[in-house]
Amino acid sequence: MKLLKNIFGFRTKMQHKQAIQISKILLCLLISLSLIIIAACGVSTDSPQSDSLPKSPPAQSQEGEVSSAQNQLKVHFIDVGQADSILIQTPEGKVMLIDAGNNEDGDFVVSYLKSQGVEKIDVLVGTHPHEDHIGGMDDVIYSFNIGKIYMPKVASTTRTYEDVLTAIKSKNLKVSTAKAGVTIDIDPKIKIEMLAPNSETYDDLNNYSAVIRITYGKTAFLFEGDAESLSEKEMLKKGYDLKADVLKIGHHGSSSSTTSEFLAAVSPKYAVISVGKNNDYGHPAKTTMDKLKNENIIVYRTDECGTITATSDGANVSFNCKPGTYNSGALSSSNSSISSSVSNINKSSTKSSEITVYWTPNGKSYHYSKECSTLSRSKTILSGPLSKCPKSDPCDVCVH
Amino acid sequence: MMKVIIDRFEGDFAVVELPDKTMVNMLKILLPSEAKEGDVISITVDKEETKSRKAHIEKLMNDVWED
């Protein structure tokens, strides 16, 4: 089915939409269920998020958790399919959101943030104006109080981007340019700095990606957006301290990002890949996964974990789910289905090259066509593959 | 006339935005080679070319048809 759609060139995301609707229903059920459980038990539940239910935010934060969440930097890599959205809750309770998923993820991102007790977004970052990063941002802007907004100063002609700008304008907000050298002071316990973009213009929008490094105590996170090798090289050239415990891999693990030099400079213990299950683009690339595997970097991926949360206490970083695989994107399997169908075609064409021919018991020729005019008077017409035909003379009329 | 906007390129596809903001994958080979991110692509029926193709095929049919 997928192969067919791709051959026709178009593949709508309706299935994804339906999946989201289903997951929304599940989410409502889950929340009501957990409320019933909480009410019934009269105690707060602190159950880990189930791996088998991606896209289901944990039940409403409990009062008691707020104090324990203090002095923690909590990073949520929200499962928005083949897109990015990262919620950061700082040790002093400030909120930062990097990207907001696809257009169709807007409502989901809003509900996830609400489930985490978010009322105000102190800093909103649109890493770059591609739909899989800013798609849901208009919904987020309309739904929350927004402090500062950072985006690279580059235009996109899409309605998606227009809607984000319109949302910002309608709330009388202003945008600050995201670029290397910007620091964001929202919490004295952490340091937030932008390491890219380093140039004024690029050919590819991905390289405009705001790259953000957050340090808390001895731990550091580096969020790459969709920055590609060109931007990675610039960051290396600038001599920035790139070291991080957790690297949000650039561009969903595509081969255009995560150069060996950059990976060596960041030297992460953990890599997080925000990527859609069975996406059409082959993300993450085998080359990227091989690099991570060879460096023994532990990988967490949203296509396997669902929403991933990483928590830092300033000394160590812990995750809510099991490490993922080093498997590359679905393209390898769809490639194999293409190649297997190709080989099937080859097989059937090999069979059909064994052409069926026709002959009469007493005639001397074989014919390609049963309707050949020279056979019109024959009562008995035999047929079979050419190799089994007892006649060796090709008919002058129908065999070319 | 259908107008779509190229949001980005991913693998073999251009991810294009339809007027209602639905995103669809369009094979890159269907697009002009100079097409880039942000370009508005008009999809139209080429009535002239359709007409001349039809005439050409009908002439061929006349040449080979028996009845």
Side-chain angles (χ1 to χ4, degrees):
Chain A
M1 197 60 187
K2 185 177 166 187
L3 177 67
L4 254 177
K5 280 176 186 159
N6 284 346
I7 285 169
F8 286 119
F10 290 95
R11 181 170 183 268
T12 73
K13 293 198 170 173
M14 287 313 288
Q15 285 168 317
H16 183 48
K17 247 180 194 168
Q18 282 163 359
I20 286 179
Q21 269 159 6
I22 291 166
S23 65
K24 273 180 191 162
I25 294 165
L26 280 174
L27 167 68
C28 291
L29 284 173
L30 196 78
I31 289 174
S32 6
L33 192 69
S34 36
L35 286 175
I36 292 165
I37 292 170
I38 291 164
C41 303
V43 291
S44 67
T45 53
D46 193 11
S47 56
Q49 198 185 336
S50 166
D51 281 49
S52 58
L53 282 172
K55 292 211 161 200
S56 346
Q60 204 82 24
S61 302
Q62 301 302 305
E63 290 276 331
E65 282 180 358
V66 175
S67 57
S68 67
Q70 269 179 7
N71 296 320
Q72 283 186 344
L73 174 68
K74 199 168 179 188
V75 180
H76 310 242
F77 300 89
I78 306 170
D79 178 15
V80 281
Q82 182 49 47
D84 270 26
S85 184
I86 303 161
L87 166 67
I88 296 154
Q89 292 170 305
T90 76
E92 293 203 343
K94 292 292 189 332
V95 172
M96 180 169 174
L97 184 71
I98 303 175
D99 293 331
N102 296 109
N103 278 325
E104 60 202 10
D105 298 320
D107 290 344
F108 174 73
V109 171
V110 168
S111 70
Y112 184 84
L113 265 58
K114 285 184 175 166
S115 79
Q116 299 304 307
V118 172
E119 286 167 3
K120 182 186 179 188
I121 297 170
D122 298 281
V123 176
L124 177 62
V125 180
T127 56
H128 64 296
H130 275 158
E131 178 268 346
D132 54 335
H133 293 254
I134 57 149
M137 201 164 275
D138 48 349
D139 295 314
V140 168
I141 291 165
Y142 287 123
S143 304
F144 295 97
N145 289 325
I146 309 288
K148 276 198 95 152
I149 302 175
Y150 289 93
M151 296 198 290
K153 199 168 187 178
V154 59
S156 168
T157 55
T158 58
R159 284 172 184 83
T160 300
Y161 188 55
E162 183 182 356
D163 286 355
V164 173
L165 297 180
T166 304
I168 292 168
K169 200 177 169 186
S170 78
K171 288 189 77 173
N172 285 320
L173 296 162
K174 293 285 178 196
V175 183
S176 303
T177 301
K179 59 183 177 187
V182 169
T183 55
I184 300 169
D185 303 313
I186 46 168
D187 184 332
K189 288 188 174 152
I190 63 170
K191 187 176 161 195
I192 307 174
E193 55 193 329
M194 284 190 196
L195 308 181
N198 285 281
S199 294
E200 291 295 314
T201 57
Y202 297 93
D203 287 338
D204 191 323
L205 278 180
N206 283 339
N207 282 319
Y208 283 91
S209 286
V211 176
I212 296 165
R213 184 167 181 262
I214 300 181
T215 46
Y216 175 44
K218 289 177 183 166
T219 64
F221 291 75
L222 188 63
F223 305 94
E224 269 204 278
D226 277 359
E228 300 193 345
S229 56
L230 175 63
S231 177
E232 291 180 351
K233 281 195 182 88
E234 288 179 338
M235 286 184 271
L236 287 165
K237 209 176 163 189
K238 290 274 176 178
Y240 296 131
D241 182 3
L242 299 169
K243 260 196 86 34
D245 302 85
V246 181
L247 173 64
K248 201 295 292 187
I249 296 288
H251 196 196
H252 321 282
S254 132
S255 61
S256 53
S257 303
T258 321
T259 57
S260 301
E261 297 76 14
F262 187 79
L263 194 60
V266 179
S267 179
K269 188 173 177 190
Y270 309 103
V272 175
I273 305 174
S274 193
V275 65
K277 201 175 262 183
N278 302 323
N279 65 82
D280 295 326
Y281 317 129
H283 300 324
K286 188 175 185 299
T287 49
T288 305
M289 299 318 290
D290 287 349
K291 282 177 197 168
L292 298 174
K293 191 178 180 182
N294 292 339
E295 297 299 322
N296 292 316
I297 297 163
I298 298 167
V299 172
Y300 294 94
R301 38 199 291 179
T302 56
D303 61 341
E304 293 178 352
C305 289
T307 293
I308 298 160
T309 60
T311 308
S312 166
D313 60 6
N316 293 296
V317 181
S318 60
F319 285 82
N320 71 324
C321 61
K322 287 183 200 137
T325 67
Y326 293 100
N327 296 338
S328 60
L331 212 59
S332 54
S333 63
S334 74
N335 270 350
S336 66
S337 72
I338 288 169
S339 58
S340 70
S341 59
V342 166
S343 64
N344 281 343
I345 290 164
N346 285 344
K347 267 181 210 161
S348 59
S349 64
T350 316
K351 266 183 199 164
S352 68
S353 73
E354 187 66 338
I355 193 164
T356 301
V357 295
Y358 305 90
W359 66 92
T360 58
N362 298 321
K364 67 172 183 162
S365 307
Y366 65 84
H367 307 262
Y368 277 0
S369 172
K370 203 178 173 181
E371 320 297 330
C372 179
S373 56
T374 60
L375 291 170
S376 61
R377 287 162 182 266
S378 309
K379 280 181 192 164
T380 311
I381 301 174
L382 304 170
S383 69
L386 183 55
S387 59
K388 299 276 164 63
C389 176
K391 314 293 178 182
S392 57
D393 178 51
C395 169
D396 292 338
V397 175
C398 68
V399 178
H400 312 287
Chain B
M1 189 201 295
M2 173 74 144
K3 287 192 176 180
V4 302
I5 303 172
I6 302 175
D7 181 68
R8 60 190 188 272
F9 291 99
E10 300 277 7
D12 295 334
F13 298 101
V15 183
V16 303
E17 184 195 57
L18 306 190
D20 69 352
K21 291 212 294 178
T22 304
M23 308 303 289
V24 298
N25 289 331
M26 189 172 172
L27 279 174
K28 276 199 272 197
I29 52 169
L30 295 175
L31 288 165
S33 56
E34 76 268 22
K36 54 185 193 307
E37 289 179 334
D39 280 353
V40 180
I41 305 296
S42 298
I43 301 173
T44 57
V45 177
D46 188 333
K47 287 184 182 157
E48 280 304 303
E49 181 70 9
T50 306
K51 211 167 138 186
S52 85
R53 286 288 305 159
K54 198 172 177 214
H56 170 68
I57 295 296
E58 279 173 352
K59 188 185 172 299
L60 262 181
M61 286 170 77
N62 279 336
D63 290 347
V64 301
W65 230 258
E66 197 173 51
D67 53 350

